[in-house]
C-alpha cells in the first residue's frame, strides 16, 4: 500500500515548481507562414484565499502544431506546466470557420487534459476572451468555467459542450456539433449564442432567441422567458421548466419527427395596465404561448435542416432503430424530406403573488 | 476454513479487472460485426462454466488440484498439467503487470521512468506472494469492499446522466446479426473465469457452502458487469468513437461529469482502486503459481521456491523490456485465447475426474 502512495502525487517536482494552466485558447495565426496561435492562461496562485484576486499570465506562440506551441511555452516560464486543471478550451472564430478537427483530436489524445473540459468559440478571437479580467474570481480562469457549469449558472441561452461530447459528435454518423459562442463585449463577456458546425467547420450561428429554443429542443431549459401580446397588453411568461422529446415516425417518403414539448410556466410581468388577469385570459395566453413556441421551434428546425446540419441527432436516431436504415447515404437522402410536427403543452401554474 | 464470501471476492476481482486488461477494446474491434453475438455466446458458455466448476469442486472439499488429481489420472499427466497451469498463471500475472505499469505511466506520473514504477510494483508483489493463502484472501476482501462503492458510483452516474447517447447504444444493438468472432468471444468469456483460481484456493474455501441461488446471483452479476463493460463507453464516446480509444474505460470515466462532488476528475479515484485490485490479482495469480509449484513435492526445502521466484523476476523483466505499448493489445488477444483454452482443459479434466470418482464409489 505504501508503495502506491509513494507513486501517486507530483513525482519529483514540488507543487511550488509547477504552474497551473486554467484555459487554453487557439487562434488562427497572425503571421502568414504559421498555422496556429496557441495561448495558455496560467493562474498565479495567491496565498490568502480570503482576498480573491484574479492574477494570470497569458503565454502565446505562433506555430504549425499545438504540441510544438505548448512545448515552446515551457521555455517562456520558469515552472513546469500542468494541464490537469485546465477546464476550458477556446477556439477563435476565424479558426472555427476553417477547420477544428485537428484541434479536437489533439485534445482528446492527450491524457492529462480533462475529457469534461468545456469547448467554446471565442469572438472576436481567443486572445481577447482569455485576456478578460473579471472583478473578482477565486482562481483565474474559473470565470469561464462558471458560465458552463450547470451547478453554477442556469442561463437558458448557454448550451455547454464537453470535449468528449464534441469528440463523439465528430466521429458518430448522423449528428453534428453545436458549440456556445463566448463574446467579448466592451466590459464583460457574453455567452448567449450557439454556433452550429458540420463535421469540421462552423457554418451558422443562432441568435440568442433561437439559442433558447434550441436548448428547449435538446437539453431542456430552466427559467427561460417569452413575450406574448394580446389585446390587453404585453405579458412576459417565465418558463420555469421546459422539456422535450421526439419520435421519428414513418418510413422513407413521409418521414416525420413528432416533438412533444412540456413547459411549466408562470406569468411574471405584465407591461400595460393594472387589471386583474382573469382565468379565461390565462387560458387564452396559454394557447398563444403554445402557438408561439410551435412556430419558433418549426422555424428553427427547418432553418437548421436547410443548412443540412443535424445537431439534434435525428440521423443518429433514425439509424439506431432499424438495421436496414444504417446507411448514412440513405439518411442524407431522407433528411431534406423530414417534416416536423410539434406539440407543445404549456401549463401556467400561477401569476406570482398578485392576480 | 473460510466462508463462502471469499469465492465471490475472487470472482468479483476478475470482473472488475477486465477494465484494465483491454477486454472492452478487444470487443470493440468487432463492434460492427459480431461482438453482440459473441457476448451472448460468452454468457451462455460462462454460465455453464461456473455451474460445472462449482459442482465439481464441491465434490472435493478442501483439496487443491494436486489432491484432486492424485490416484485418478496417471502420474505424468498430473505433473504435466500442474506445470502447464503453473506457467499459465505465471504468464497471466506477468502480462497484467506490464499492462498496469503502462496505465500508471500514462495517467499518474508521466515523468517517472517506466522501469522504476515496474520495480516498485514487482517488489511489492514478490513480498506478498510468499505470504499464507489465508492472509492473501483477507487482503482480497479489503480491496474488493473498497472497490464496490466505486462501481456503484459509476453505474448510478451512467443511469442518471442526461448526456449519454442512448441512440448510439441502440445502434450498437442492431449489429447482432453476425456470427460470433473467436477473439471477442474469448475476451468476453474471461469475465466469467474468476473461479479457475480455485485449483489452489479450494483448499481454503469450502465450495459445498455455495448454494444454487449464490451461483445464480454471481452469474447475474457477471452478466450485468459484462453488459455495462460493453455499453457504458458506447454511451459516452459513441459507437464509432470507442474503437479509437486506447484505454476506453479510463476515457469514459474521465468523461463523467460530477457537478456536486468534491473532486472534479473521478478518474484518479478509479485508477487508485483499480491499481490496488490489479496488484492483488497479480499477487493471487503468482501465489497460485507458487502454490502449484509446492505441490510438485520437490524435497529440497524452501530453496526451490526462491529459484522459481527469481526466474519469475527475470522473465517478467525481459517481457517488460520487450513489449511495446503498441503491441500490448495483440498480446492480450493471444492471452485471452490461451486462457479460454486452459479453462476448457480444466473443465474437461475435472469432469473426467468427477465421473471417475462417481464410478469408484
Amino acid at each position: 500500500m505504501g508503495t502506491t502512495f509513494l507513486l501517486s502525487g507530483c513525482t519529483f517536482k514540488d507543487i511550488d515548481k509547477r504552474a497551473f494552466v486554467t484555459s487554453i485558447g487557439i487562434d488562427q495565426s497572425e503571421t502568414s507562414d504559421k498555422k496556429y496561435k496557441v495561448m495558455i492562461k496560467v493562474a498565479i496562485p495567491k496565498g490568502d484565499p480570503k482576498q480573491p484576486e484574479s492574477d494570470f499570465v497569458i503565454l502565446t506562440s505562433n506555430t504549425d502544431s499545438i504540441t510544438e506551441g505548448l512545448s515552446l511555452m515551457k521555455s517562456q516560464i520558469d515552472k513546469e506546466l500542468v494541464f490537469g486543471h485546465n477546464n476550458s478550451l477556446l477556439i477563435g472564430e476565424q479558426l472555427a470557420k476553417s477547420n477544428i478537427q485537428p484541434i479536437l483530436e489533439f485534445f482528446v489524445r492527450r491524457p492529462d487534459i480533462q475529457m469534461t473540459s468545456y469547448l467554446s468559440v471565442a469572438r472576436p478571437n481567443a486572445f481577447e476572451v482569455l485576456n478578460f479580467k473579471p472583478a473578482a474570481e477565486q482562481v483565474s480562469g474559473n470565470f469561464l468555467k462558471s458560465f458552463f457549469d450547470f451547478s453554477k449558472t442556469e442561463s437558458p441561452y448557454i448550451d455547454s459542450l464537453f470535449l468528449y461530447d464534441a469528440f463523439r459528435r465528430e466521429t458518430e454518423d448522423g449528428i453534428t456539433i453545436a458549440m456556445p459562442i463566448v463574446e467579448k463585449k466592451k466590459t464583460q463577456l457574453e455567452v448567449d449564442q450557439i454556433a452550429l458546425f458540420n463535421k469540421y467547420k462552423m457554418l451558422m450561428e443562432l441568435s440568442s432567441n433561437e439559442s433558447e429554443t434550441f436548448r428547449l429542443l435538446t437539453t431542456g431549459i430552466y427559467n427561460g422567458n417569452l413575450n406574448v401580446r394580446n389585446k390587453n397588453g404585453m405579458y412576459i411568461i417565465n418558463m420555469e421548466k421546459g422539456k422535450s422529446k421526439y419520435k421519428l415516425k414513418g418510413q422513407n417518403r413521409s418521414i416525420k419527427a413528432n416533438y412533444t414539448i412540456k413547459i411549466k410556466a408562470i406569468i411574471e410581468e405584465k407591461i400595460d395596465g393594472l387589471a386583474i388577469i382573469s382565468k379565461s385570459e390565462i387560458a387564452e395566453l396559454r394557447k398563444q404561448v403554445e402557438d408561439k413556441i410551435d412556430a419558433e421551434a418549426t422555424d428553427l428546425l427547418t432553418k437548421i435542416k436547410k443548412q443540412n446540419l443535424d445537431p439534434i441527432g435525428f440521423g443518429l436516431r433514425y439509424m439506431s432503430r432499424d438495421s436496414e436504415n444504417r446507411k448514412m447515404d440513405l439518411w442524407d437522402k431522407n433528411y431534406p424530406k423530414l417534416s416536423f410536427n410539434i406539440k407543445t403543452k404549456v401549463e401556467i401554474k400561477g401569476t406570482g403573488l398578485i392576480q | 476454513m473460510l466462508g463462502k464470501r471469499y469465492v465471490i471476492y475472487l470472482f468479483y476481482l476478475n470482473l472488475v479487472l477486465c477494465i484494465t486488461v483491454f477486454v472492452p477494446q478487444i470487443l470493440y474491434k468487432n463492434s460492427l460485426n459480431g461482438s453482440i453475438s459473441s457476448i451472448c455466446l460468452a454468457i451462455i458458455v460462462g454460465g455453464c462454466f461456473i455451474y460445472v466448476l462449482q459442482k465439481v469442486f464441491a465434490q472435493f472439499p478442501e483439496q487443491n488440484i494436486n489432491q484432486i488429481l492424485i490416484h485418478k489420472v496417471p502420474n505424468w499427466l498430473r505433473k504435466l498439467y500442474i506445470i502447464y497451469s503453473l506457467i499459465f498463471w505465471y504468464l497471466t500475472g506477468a502480462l497484467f503487470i506490464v499492462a498496469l505499469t503502462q496505465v500508471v505511466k500514462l495517467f499518474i506520473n508521466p515523468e517517472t521512468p517506466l522501469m522504476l514504477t515496474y520495480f516498485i510494483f514487482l517488489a511489492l508483489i514478490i513480498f506478498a506472494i510468499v505470504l499464507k493463502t489465508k492472509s492473501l484472501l483477507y487482503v482480497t476482501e479489503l480491496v474488493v469492499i473498497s472497490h464496490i462503492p466505486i462501481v456503484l458510483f459509476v453505474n448510478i452516474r451512467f443511469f442518471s446522466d442526461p448526456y449519454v447517447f442512448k441512440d448510439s447504444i441502440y445502434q450498437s444493438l442492431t449489429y447482432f446479426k453476425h456470427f460470433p468472432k473467436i477473439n471477442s468471444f474469448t475476451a468476453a468469456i474471461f469475465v466469467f473465469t474468476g473461479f479457475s483460481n480455485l485449483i489452489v484456493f479450494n483448499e481454503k474455501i469450502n465450495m459445498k457452502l455455495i448454494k444454487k441461488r449464490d451461483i445464480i446471483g454471481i452469474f447475474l452479476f457477471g452478466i450485468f458487469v459484462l453488459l455495462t463493460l460493453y455499453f457504458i463507453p458506447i454511451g459516452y464516446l459513441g459507437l464509432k468513437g470507442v474503437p479509437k480509444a486506447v484505454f476506453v474505460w479510463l476515457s469514459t470515466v474521465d468523461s463523467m461529469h460530477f457537478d456536486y462532488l468534491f473532486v472534479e476528475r473521478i478518474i484518479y479515484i478509479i485508477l487508485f482502486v483499480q491499481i490496488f485490485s490489479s496488484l492483488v490479482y497479480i499477487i493471487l495469480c503468482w501465489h497460485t503459481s507458487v502454490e502449484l509449484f509446492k505441490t510438485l513435492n520437490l524435497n529440497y526445502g524452501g530453496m526451490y521456491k526462491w529459484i522459481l521466484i527469481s526466474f519469475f523476476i527475470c522473465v517478467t523483466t525481459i517481457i517488460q523490456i520487450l513489449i511495446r505499448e503498441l503491441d500490448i493489445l495483440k498480446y492480450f488477444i493471444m492471452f485471452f485465447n490461451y486462457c479460454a483454452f486452459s479453462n476448457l482443459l480444466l473443465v474437461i479434466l475435472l469432469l473426467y475426474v468427477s465421473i471417475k470418482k462417481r464410478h469408484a464409489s
Side-chain angles (χ1 to χ4, degrees):
Chain A
M1 213 156 151
T3 43
T4 346
F5 275 117
L6 195 94
L7 277 170
S8 63
C10 309
T11 325
F12 298 147
K13 284 200 177 84
D14 289 332
I15 194 157
D16 58 339
K17 294 191 182 79
R18 286 164 182 262
F20 292 94
V21 178
T22 53
S23 339
I24 302 178
I26 293 163
D27 268 333
Q28 202 149 41
S29 178
E30 288 140 1
T31 50
S32 54
D33 54 333
K34 297 280 192 234
K35 216 169 162 189
Y36 301 122
K37 181 183 172 193
V38 185
M39 284 154 286
I40 56 174
K41 189 172 189 171
V42 180
I44 298 175
K46 279 272 157 7
D48 191 6
K50 280 177 190 160
Q51 291 176 324
E53 240 182 289
S54 158
D55 271 353
F56 57 84
V57 189
I58 293 180
L59 306 177
T60 43
S61 64
N62 284 298
T63 47
D64 277 333
S65 69
I66 306 169
T67 322
E68 199 188 334
L70 293 182
S71 55
L72 273 177
M73 279 165 200
K74 276 185 190 171
S75 56
Q76 295 176 9
I77 194 164
D78 62 332
K79 293 182 171 73
E80 176 74 22
L81 293 173
V82 178
F83 292 94
H85 292 262
N86 169 52
N87 46 37
S88 43
L89 310 169
L90 296 164
I91 299 169
E93 200 187 358
Q94 286 253 300
L95 190 61
K97 279 178 178 159
S98 64
N99 191 358
I100 59 159
Q101 239 163 9
I103 305 172
L104 276 185
E105 184 166 298
F106 168 77
F107 286 128
V108 175
R109 202 181 284 278
R110 269 192 75 126
D112 55 348
I113 284 176
Q114 300 185 21
M115 289 288 258
T116 49
S117 309
Y118 293 104
L119 276 170
S120 46
V121 175
R123 179 184 284 170
N125 55 35
F127 180 76
E128 289 286 324
V129 176
L130 276 184
N131 208 13
F132 173 73
K133 189 172 183 176
E137 60 182 335
Q138 211 76 43
V139 182
S140 66
N142 223 359
F143 191 74
L144 269 174
K145 190 194 172 207
S146 313
F147 267 128
F148 304 118
D149 251 2
F150 180 73
S151 62
K152 289 174 183 136
T153 322
E154 285 184 10
S155 163
Y157 304 112
I158 301 173
D159 184 44
S160 46
L161 179 78
F162 295 110
L163 178 59
Y164 76 89
D165 201 4
F167 171 68
R168 67 182 175 187
R169 278 162 188 271
E170 185 88 38
T171 49
E172 203 79 331
D173 287 337
I175 192 161
T176 56
I177 299 172
M179 211 186 273
I181 301 176
V182 184
E183 193 170 354
K184 169 85 190 339
K185 289 281 167 69
K186 263 181 194 144
T187 50
Q188 82 270 35
L189 290 183
E190 206 171 79
V191 192
D192 64 349
Q193 283 188 302
I194 294 174
L196 297 185
F197 288 67
N198 67 0
K199 287 288 178 197
Y200 60 96
K201 68 176 184 183
M202 178 174 159
L203 279 188
M204 67 185 281
E205 57 192 76
L206 303 180
S207 69
S208 55
N209 231 340
E210 286 168 332
S211 299
E212 193 180 352
T213 318
F214 183 78
R215 279 261 337 235
L216 180 65
L217 292 174
T218 50
T219 45
I221 55 172
Y222 294 91
N223 297 324
N225 51 50
L226 197 75
N227 312 343
V228 223
R229 179 180 286 280
N230 70 357
K231 57 182 188 298
N232 290 344
M234 181 120 119
Y235 293 88
I236 317 287
I237 312 280
N238 179 19
M239 300 187 270
E240 281 190 329
K241 203 176 169 188
K243 267 188 191 170
S244 69
K245 57 183 176 190
Y246 69 93
K247 269 181 187 160
L248 290 183
K249 282 270 165 66
Q251 278 296 325
N252 301 330
R253 291 209 166 269
S254 60
I255 183 160
K256 224 193 248 177
N258 285 340
Y259 249 107
T260 359
I261 303 174
K262 276 183 188 164
I263 291 170
K264 280 181 184 162
I266 52 169
I267 296 173
E268 200 162 71
E269 206 177 331
K270 180 169 182 279
I271 304 281
D272 309 296
L274 286 168
I276 288 172
I277 309 171
S278 66
K279 277 249 170 72
S280 61
E281 204 176 347
I282 289 177
E284 207 176 281
L285 280 173
R286 191 177 64 87
K287 190 81 190 61
Q288 254 181 316
V289 172
E290 282 177 0
D291 289 345
K292 194 165 182 187
I293 291 173
D294 277 1
E296 275 181 5
T298 322
D299 278 355
L300 179 66
L301 289 172
T302 22
K303 192 179 166 190
I304 294 172
K305 193 180 80 175
K306 264 186 195 150
Q307 293 276 339
N308 208 10
L309 300 174
D310 194 0
I312 296 170
F314 293 118
L316 185 61
R317 174 73 59 90
Y318 180 74
M319 286 188 276
S320 70
R321 290 303 140 88
D322 200 335
S323 54
E324 281 156 23
N325 295 345
R326 270 187 328 228
K327 283 174 202 116
M328 189 60 198
D329 44 346
L330 186 68
W331 171 247
D332 282 339
K333 234 180 273 167
N334 278 331
Y335 188 36
K337 290 179 213 149
L338 181 70
S339 63
F340 303 102
N341 183 14
I342 292 163
K343 230 182 237 166
T344 317
K345 274 182 200 156
V346 177
E347 186 193 341
I348 294 188
K349 287 191 335 191
T351 55
L353 286 184
I354 47 170
Q355 279 198 323
Chain B
M1 181 55 57
L2 297 167
K4 66 180 175 187
R5 63 177 192 280
Y6 289 91
V7 180
I8 298 169
Y9 296 148
L10 285 178
F11 192 75
Y12 182 90
L13 204 60
N14 202 78
L15 282 179
V16 297
L17 209 74
C18 297
I19 295 171
T20 25
V21 298
F22 304 98
V23 171
Q25 280 93 324
I26 295 168
L27 289 175
Y28 293 138
K29 284 207 155 185
N30 294 321
S31 61
L32 302 185
N33 54 0
S35 274
I36 299 282
S37 51
S38 305
I39 288 174
C40 293
L41 188 67
I43 287 172
I44 297 164
V45 177
C48 299
F49 178 73
I50 294 173
Y51 180 76
V52 168
L53 246 62
Q54 191 266 333
K55 278 278 169 213
V56 176
F57 277 120
Q59 285 175 21
F60 304 96
E62 299 181 45
Q63 290 180 4
N64 60 25
I65 190 78
N66 187 44
Q67 289 155 328
I68 293 172
L69 293 183
I70 210 159
H71 304 314
K72 291 191 186 67
V73 295
N75 222 5
W76 61 269
L77 185 64
R78 174 174 64 90
K79 285 201 169 154
L80 196 70
Y81 180 74
I82 285 176
I83 290 170
Y84 171 79
S85 31
L86 185 156
I87 294 169
F88 168 71
W89 285 107
Y90 161 68
L91 277 181
T92 312
L95 204 55
F96 282 25
I97 194 173
V98 173
L100 185 66
T101 37
Q102 290 292 3
V103 173
V104 171
K105 160 94 177 148
L106 206 61
F107 280 91
I108 293 189
N109 36 8
E111 290 140 28
T112 319
L114 188 70
M115 289 318 267
L116 182 69
T117 320
Y118 164 72
F119 278 117
I120 289 173
F121 281 155
L122 199 65
L124 176 78
I125 291 165
I126 295 300
F127 163 74
I129 54 173
V130 289
L131 293 175
K132 280 182 193 147
T133 310
K134 260 190 185 176
S135 13
L136 284 183
L137 285 171
Y138 293 143
V139 175
T140 313
E141 179 172 28
L142 276 180
V143 168
V144 167
I145 284 174
S146 63
H147 196 287
I148 289 172
I150 305 289
V151 170
L152 282 179
F153 208 58
V154 169
N155 275 302
I156 290 169
R157 185 60 208 160
F158 170 71
F159 286 112
S160 65
D161 200 339
Y163 285 101
V164 169
F165 270 4
K166 292 197 186 78
D167 290 341
S168 287
I169 298 177
Y170 284 124
Q171 199 185 1
S172 72
L173 277 171
T174 61
Y175 289 92
F176 66 93
K177 290 178 198 158
H178 294 274
F179 273 111
K181 296 281 181 299
I182 186 87
N183 288 345
S184 301
F185 169 71
T186 51
I189 197 87
F190 178 75
V191 175
F192 294 99
T193 55
F195 275 177
S196 38
N197 274 27
L198 280 174
I199 55 172
V200 163
F201 295 113
N202 194 38
E203 209 177 354
K204 297 282 181 281
I205 308 165
N206 193 345
M207 284 298 276
K208 257 189 180 167
L209 294 172
I210 297 235
K211 305 257 164 41
K212 200 175 237 168
R213 62 157 195 270
D214 299 326
I215 284 293
I216 291 173
I218 287 175
F219 177 54
L220 289 179
F221 186 67
I223 294 175
F224 174 73
V225 170
L226 182 56
L227 294 182
T228 48
L229 204 70
Y230 184 74
F231 288 115
I232 290 183
I234 292 181
Y236 278 99
L237 302 177
L239 183 61
K240 309 281 177 343
V242 277
K244 288 188 178 176
V246 180
F247 296 95
V248 168
W249 257 92
L250 295 177
S251 300
T252 306
V253 170
D254 201 14
S255 305
M256 292 182 172
H257 184 246
F258 295 89
D259 260 341
Y260 300 104
L261 203 69
F262 57 93
V263 283
E264 256 181 357
R265 292 181 90 178
I266 196 180
I267 182 174
Y268 287 109
I269 302 178
I270 300 259
L271 266 176
F272 205 63
V273 285
Q274 206 62 38
I275 289 168
F276 270 133
S277 32
S278 303
L279 279 176
V280 168
Y281 190 82
I282 296 164
I283 290 167
L284 289 179
C285 285
W286 284 13
H287 180 76
T288 311
S289 201
V290 172
E291 289 293 310
L292 284 173
F293 184 72
K294 279 184 191 165
T295 60
L296 285 174
N297 265 337
L298 300 166
N299 302 319
Y300 298 100
M303 265 306 275
Y304 268 63
K305 187 174 75 189
W306 287 106
I307 292 172
L308 182 78
I309 289 173
S310 38
F311 178 70
F312 277 9
I313 297 173
C314 295
V315 176
T316 320
T317 313
I318 292 168
I319 293 175
Q320 171 74 40
I321 292 168
L322 288 184
I323 285 189
R324 283 176 302 158
E325 200 184 341
L326 287 171
D327 292 337
I328 203 159
L329 194 62
K330 201 174 74 195
Y331 290 109
F332 267 101
I333 291 174
M334 267 153 65
F335 165 72
F336 287 128
N337 289 339
Y338 174 42
C339 176
F341 171 73
S342 312
N343 283 313
L344 181 71
L345 209 66
L346 176 70
V347 167
I348 292 170
L349 203 64
L350 285 174
L351 279 177
Y352 172 75
V353 170
S354 90
I355 289 165
K356 202 157 188 193
K357 190 196 177 192
R358 203 170 293 161
H359 279 284
S361 61

